[in-house]
Amino acid sequence: REFAEISIRDIDQIAMSSFPLCMRHLFEKLREDHHLKHGGRMQLGLFLKGVGLKLDDALAFWKAEFSQKVGAERFDKEYAYSIRHNYGREGKRTDYTPFSCQKIISSAPGVGDHHGCPYRHFSEENLRAALGKMRVNSRAIEDVMDKVRNRHYQLACTLTFEAVHGTSCDAGINHPNQYFSESQKVVQL
Ligand code: SF4
């Protein structure tokens, strides 16, 4: 089944139900701070493109947030380019693909960055809190933390998927957009 398009109207609900933790975190921070640094804009922006957010909607979505922080004019001048760039409409016109788990896990977020993989880059305390917010039960949280301690971050994400959706995910999670499409299969049943 194809999930060709999502609209900004539904995006908050879809983020709650079907985004993996790395993207939920970026999404929430963007809504909260009305800003994301470059690494976060790339990671979330390409993911959103991958789940079917069209360029015009992407521009409207980012502008609505960034305008509250830097103003609409500065958004148009400084940030719109990089969004069009993600969609291959600027520069070398490369059609950039969304980042895989491997790439995200091996990234190195600095202070004030919100990109990266929470299973790898969050403190234990923050990860536990984030999992609780996703309504992962305490038993499952311990299983997730066990995987994290053994540096099996994608398995930790797979266990989270299974706990949240109440179903097994035999393929395992290897890409945020795969997490999304597996989730939509369950959610849309
Ligand atoms: Fe995102 Fe992959 Fe990490 Fe899951 S394992 S939070 S999908 S980067």
Side-chain angles (χ1 to χ4, degrees):
R1 213 153 33 128
E2 286 289 316
F3 310 102
E5 242 176 81
I6 64 166
S7 80
I8 14 186
R9 217 185 39 237
D10 308 323
I11 204 167
D12 290 87
Q13 195 204 327
I14 291 174
M16 284 289 288
S17 66
S18 293
F19 282 14
L21 184 51
C22 54
M23 301 303 171
R24 284 171 66 110
H25 179 61
L26 284 168
F27 189 83
E28 282 170 15
K29 282 295 164 190
L30 176 63
R31 287 286 197 226
E32 219 172 279
D33 299 343
H34 314 300
H35 190 272
L36 282 178
K37 291 173 123 185
H38 178 75
R41 295 200 302 275
M42 289 291 287
Q43 184 177 310
L44 179 62
L46 289 173
F47 169 80
L48 291 174
K49 176 176 120 172
V51 307
L53 192 66
K54 297 283 161 249
L55 175 60
D56 285 346
D57 284 342
L59 284 167
F61 169 73
W62 289 97
K63 186 170 183 169
E65 292 302 333
F66 270 64
S67 296
Q68 297 177 54
K69 183 87 172 185
V70 302
E73 203 178 316
R74 205 172 138 206
F75 174 84
D76 289 338
K77 258 198 214 135
E78 287 176 33
Y79 297 99
Y81 176 92
S82 71
I83 290 155
R84 288 196 300 271
H85 193 264
N86 277 351
Y87 282 74
R89 305 295 170 83
E90 299 282 1
K92 284 184 288 181
R93 300 192 171 257
T94 312
D95 205 2
Y96 294 97
T97 48
F99 297 166
S100 67
C101 292
Q102 215 177 11
K103 184 172 172 121
I104 293 170
I105 287 168
S106 61
S107 67
V111 177
D113 278 328
H114 296 295
H115 66 275
C117 172
Y119 301 98
R120 165 88 199 265
H121 296 114
F122 275 19
S123 68
E124 176 168 346
E125 191 188 348
N126 285 349
L127 181 55
R128 283 179 183 275
L131 292 169
K133 240 171 96 184
M134 287 176 88
R135 298 179 189 282
V136 178
N137 69 50
S138 50
R139 164 108 201 260
I141 290 181
E142 294 315 316
D143 292 343
V144 168
M145 297 314 299
D146 197 51
K147 297 293 179 210
V148 168
R149 274 190 289 276
N150 290 302
R151 307 173 71 86
H152 295 310
Y153 308 114
Q154 287 169 232
L155 286 178
C157 191
T158 306
L159 289 184
T160 303
F161 180 100
E162 292 181 339
V164 166
H165 295 84
T167 175
S168 67
C169 175
D170 297 334
I173 299 302
N174 56 56
H175 198 292
N177 289 86
Q178 174 230 357
Y179 183 111
F180 177 81
S181 54
E182 297 284 347
S183 171
Q184 287 284 287
K185 281 182 214 163
V186 179
V187 170
Q188 294 190 346
L189 276 181

